[in-house]
């Protein structure tokens, strides 16, 4: 938990350097093999940073409600998310290239992000179904714990800003992101076939990771203090 608090602390430090302005956004993440994630309002702030002509550096922070995300490193395949629901903090740090006009500006973004999941848990419905298929059982019941770690990844995209006035803009943004965070799993599961005996398995998956890959779509407003 202490490691996760590093993310908002780092963001607040970077925000103290902000010279461009600030904005609030409503964002959704459409993850690959996961469930659509939405921000916990009003905790989604983007577009904070400094600029040096056309080039700039931006950061922000969003607290997301993640209904479900997939994992890699499991000894079996599953096409459904096996973690969630839980909250996740996402903090981007990106270089920007902005092309300005009086009415609209286009911004290209690219860089990385850090993420932390708050008390992630197993989606036992999807996990038990995957175990049943893997073991060729009729029933399965698992009792698992997740060792949560910070994660990192990269993201890139484009933002359009429609200038309502010299101080106020409406923004829309699309970004693609891909990252992982360590999530070792320990515990046990049991099950078997109807008419047969119950079998038990000890679980120790040290290399499992939570995956966050997909498209983030944002619509927001931005107060521009540089004009």
């Amino acid at each position: 938990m202490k490691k996760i608090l590093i993310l908002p602390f780092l963001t607040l430090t970077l925000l103290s350097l902000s010279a461009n302005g600030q904005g609030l956004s409503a964002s959704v993440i459409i993850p690959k093999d996961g469930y659509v994630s939405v921000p916990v309002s009003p905790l989604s702030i983007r577009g904070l940073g400094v600029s040096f002509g056309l080039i700039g550096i931006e950061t922000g922070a969003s607290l997301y409600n993640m209904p479900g995300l997939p994992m890699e490193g499991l000894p079996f395949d599953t096409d459904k998310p096996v973690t969630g629901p839980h909250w996740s903090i996402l903090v981007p740090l990106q270089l920007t290239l902005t092309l300005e006009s009086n009415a609209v500006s286009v911004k290209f973004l690219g860089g990385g992000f850090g993420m932390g999941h708050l008390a992630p848990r197993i989606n036992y419905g999807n996990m038990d179904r995957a175990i049943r298929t893997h073991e060729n059982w009729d029933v399965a019941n698992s009792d698992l714990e997740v060792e949560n770690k910070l994660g990192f990844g990269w993201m890139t995209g484009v933002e359009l800003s429609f200038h309502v006035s010299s101080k106020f803009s409406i923004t829309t943004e699309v970004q693609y992101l891909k990252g992982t965070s360590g999530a070792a799993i320990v515990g046990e599961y049991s099950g078997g076939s109807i008419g047969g005996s119950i079998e038990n398995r000890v679980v120790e998956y040290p290399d499992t990771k939570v995956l966050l890959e997909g498209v983030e779509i944002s619509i927001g407003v931005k107060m521009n203090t540089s004009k």
Side-chain angles (χ1 to χ4, degrees):
M1 186 68 176
K2 291 182 179 179
K3 292 182 179 179
I4 293 177
L5 294 178
I6 293 173
L7 291 176
F9 176 78
L10 176 61
T11 301
L12 291 175
T13 302
L14 291 170
L15 298 189
S16 67
L17 303 175
S18 177
N20 279 346
Q22 60 183 12
L24 295 175
S25 66
S27 308
V28 297
I29 295 179
I30 306 173
K32 179 181 178 181
D33 297 329
Y35 300 137
V36 175
S37 308
V38 296
V40 180
S41 179
L43 301 179
S44 184
I45 303 173
R46 294 292 177 89
L48 303 175
V50 294
S51 62
F52 311 94
L54 299 179
I55 306 299
I57 301 174
E58 285 193 359
T59 185
S62 296
L63 178 62
Y64 276 97
N65 177 9
M66 295 287 189
L69 291 174
M71 300 187 77
E72 68 176 8
L74 294 167
F76 46 81
D77 295 327
T78 174
D79 59 355
K80 294 184 179 297
V82 290
T83 65
H86 53 73
W87 287 357
S88 300
I89 299 173
L90 191 148
V91 178
L93 182 61
Q94 297 176 283
L95 292 175
T96 65
L97 173 63
T98 304
L99 306 178
E100 291 274 4
S101 73
N102 291 332
V104 63
S105 64
V106 180
K107 181 184 297 180
F108 301 95
L109 307 98
F113 67 90
M115 62 178 171
H117 307 299
L118 306 181
R121 52 185 174 178
I122 298 295
N123 182 321
Y124 282 108
N126 290 340
M127 179 66 80
D128 289 350
R129 278 191 286 270
I131 291 172
R132 290 201 304 267
T133 301
H134 172 65
E135 297 283 0
N136 197 25
W137 287 345
D138 295 318
V139 294
N141 182 62
S142 58
D143 184 11
L144 307 172
E145 294 182 2
V146 179
E147 181 183 348
N148 188 32
K149 296 181 180 179
L150 290 178
F152 302 92
W154 60 266
M155 60 193 304
T156 184
V158 62
E159 176 190 276
L160 295 177
S161 295
F162 302 94
H163 306 312
V164 178
S165 70
S166 61
K167 297 293 185 180
F168 173 74
S169 300
I170 297 175
T171 65
T172 179
E173 181 180 302
V174 177
Q175 297 209 63
Y176 186 85
L177 62 160
K178 183 176 182 179
T180 62
S181 58
I185 295 178
V186 296
E188 60 182 7
Y189 63 82
S190 59
S193 300
I194 295 175
S197 59
I198 298 298
E199 300 182 51
N200 297 289
R201 301 279 192 271
V202 175
V203 170
E204 188 173 353
Y205 305 148
D207 300 322
T208 50
K209 297 178 180 180
V210 176
L211 302 179
L212 178 57
E213 177 181 1
V215 176
E216 182 186 54
I217 302 172
S218 303
I219 298 176
V221 296
K222 184 177 181 180
M223 303 303 296
N224 194 333
T225 60
S226 64
K227 293 186 177 181

